[in-house]
Amino acid sequence: MAINIAPKSSDTELNELIRDITSGKTQLPEFQRSWTWDDGRIRGILASLSQGYPMGAIMRLEYGNTEVKFKYRPIEGVKNATETPDHLVLDGQQRLTSMYRATCSKDPVETKTEKGKKIKRFYYLDIKKCLNDNEDRYDAIIPVPEDRRIKKNFNREIVLDLTTRELEYEHEMFPINIIFDSSAREDWADGYKEYHEYGKEFLERYKTFRTNVIEVITGYKLPVITLGRETPREAVCKVFENVNTGGVALTVFELVTATFATYEFDLRKDWEECRSIIWGVNDPLNTDVMHGVDETAFLTAITLYTNYFAKTMTTCKKKDVLALSFDSYKANKPALLEGYKMARKFLFSQYVFRMRDLPYTTQLIPLAAICAVIGKSTFNLPRTQNILARWFWCGILGEMYGGANETRYANDIEDVVDSITNEQSLDKSRTVNGAYFSATRLVSLQTRNSAAYKGIMALVYRESCRDFMKGTTMDIVKSMDESPDIHHIFPEAYCKKQNYQKEQWNSIINKTPLLPESNRQIGGDAPSKYCQKIMKDAQIDEAQLKSRVESHLINYHAFINDDFKTYFVDRAKAIMTVIEETMGKVISDKGSEQTIKIYGVSLEDQRSN
C-alpha cells in the first residue's frame, strides 16, 4: 500500500533557519553523514547566496514521533545547543552547514582544498569587487587563513593582512561571520565610516553594498519542505534515498542504528562484533566465504527470523527491517549468530569454500534464518542436510535469487522448516517447485559471474575431482592453501587453431578447477600432448592419469584422443546427470530441437563408455 506522507512546503528566511540551528531547534538525525564540503564549494554557495540565486529546497522532518525515535546531533560548528530539536534535516545538510559555519561561527571554518588538504578559513566579502559588474562574485568571496593573513613566497610576504578591524576597514573587507548579527554588523559599519572619515565615496559605497549584498543575504529565503512527525521510518528512508542521489545512498542499517541509539546502544559497534563471529575470524578454518554478509543482510535475517515466530505474516521487506524493535534484536541475535555458524558449516559441506565461489550471498539470509529456527541438533541430522542441500542447489541452479528476494526468503523459511520439522514434502517448496534448469543453459555459461556457473563448479568439486598433476582432491584445505582456479580442459589456443566454436570451447562444459601446476603443463597443447608431459613430470602411469581425469566427469577415451565433439557431448551429459541428482529433477529439454541444434545430437541417450 502506498504511503501518503503529505509534506508541507513554505519559503523560510535563512536568518530564521540559522537561529534555529544555533539554538538546536534544527539538528541532524544521527544517520546523516558528516559535512564534507571543500573551500571551493563554500565560496560558491556564498557567492550564490550574496546574489540571491536559488539553491534548491531544504527538506526536514518534524521531530517527536514516538514510533521514530531517531537520535540527533547538532549541525557541525554549533556549540552549546540546549534545546530538543523541532526539526531534523533530511536534505540540505551540506548547504546549511556551509552557510552556518561561514556566516555565524567566530571560529575559522575547518574545511579542505580541492585536493583534500585540511585548512582553516575565515571568509570575507570584498566590497569593491562585489559592486563591480565585471567581477565574478565568486572572486569577491575572499578566503583567509586562521591568522587572517594571506601570504605568498613561502609565507615570507604578506599580501593581505586583516588581523584588526582597522585593517578590514582599510582593505574594505567585510567579515561574513557577522552578517546575521545585526549589532556587530552595525558596529562594523560605524567603524568603517569613521575610519574613512565619512567620505562621500565611502558612504555611498557602503550604502550600495548594504542594499545589494548584505540585505540580499539577510533577507534570503529558501523553500523548505517539512515532513510531519507522523511520517513512518520507511518513508523517511525512501525520501532520503531519493533526494540524496548526489551522495552515498542511505542504508536501512543507518536508520536502524539511529533508532537503536535512543536506547544508548551502538549498533555499529555491535555489528563489528557480530561480523567477526559470522565471518569465522577466530575459527580454525578461516576462509572468506561469509565476507559477503554485511550489516543490512544481518538485520534482514534477524527480521525474517523474528517475523517467522510472530503471529503476523512472515516478511522481511525494508519496512519490516525498519520496524524491527530493539527488544527483538537483542532477544534474537544469539540464535541468528548460531544460524550463521551452521550456514558456514553447511557451505563447506557443499564444497563452497571461498566468497568468489559462493553463487548467491543473498541466499545466506534464509539459510541462516532456517538454521536458527531448527537449531543445531536438528541441523546435524542427515535428513536435514539432504533437505537443505536440495533446496540450496535448486535455488542456485534454478537461478532464483537474482532479483528482489524478500518474498522468496519468507517462502523459504516457511517451506523448508515445514519440510524439516513436519516431514512436509520439499517438492511443495515454492523455490524447489519453481526451479528449472535447461540443457541449453550449459553452453551459455561462459564466465564465472553467474550463480549457475559457480554452482556447477562447486558440484565438480563435490565429485571429489583430483588435480591432474598432484592428484590431490580439492577439499577445503587444498582450496584455501593452493587456490585452484577454473581452466579450459581443451586449451583456448588449441581450440582456436582447430576452429572449434567458441560457444562450445569457452563454455563451462570445457572448464574445470585445477591447481596452477596443472595449468602450466596444459599450456596451449592438445590433451594427448599435454598428458604426456603430466605423466612424465608427475611420474605417474596412464592408469593414474585416467583416474584423475575421469574424476572431473570427463570421458577419458575421447579426451586422450583429442576427440572434442565426443568429449564435449559426453561431459555435458555427465554434468547434467549430477545436476539432476542434486536438484531431484529431470532436465526436460535434453532432446529438444534447440538442444539438438546446439549440441548436434540429443542428450537423452546414455553417456559414451
Side-chain angles (χ1 to χ4, degrees), residues 41-50 99 102-103 123 141 176:
R41 297 192 74 175
I42 295 171
R43 291 175 65 194
I45 199 167
L46 292 175
S48 295
L49 175 63
S50 70
M99 289 187 288
T103 64
Y123 292 90
I141 310 297
I176 296 179

Side-chain angles (χ1 to χ4, degrees), residues 65 195 323 450:
N65 185 342
Y195 181 86
S450 74

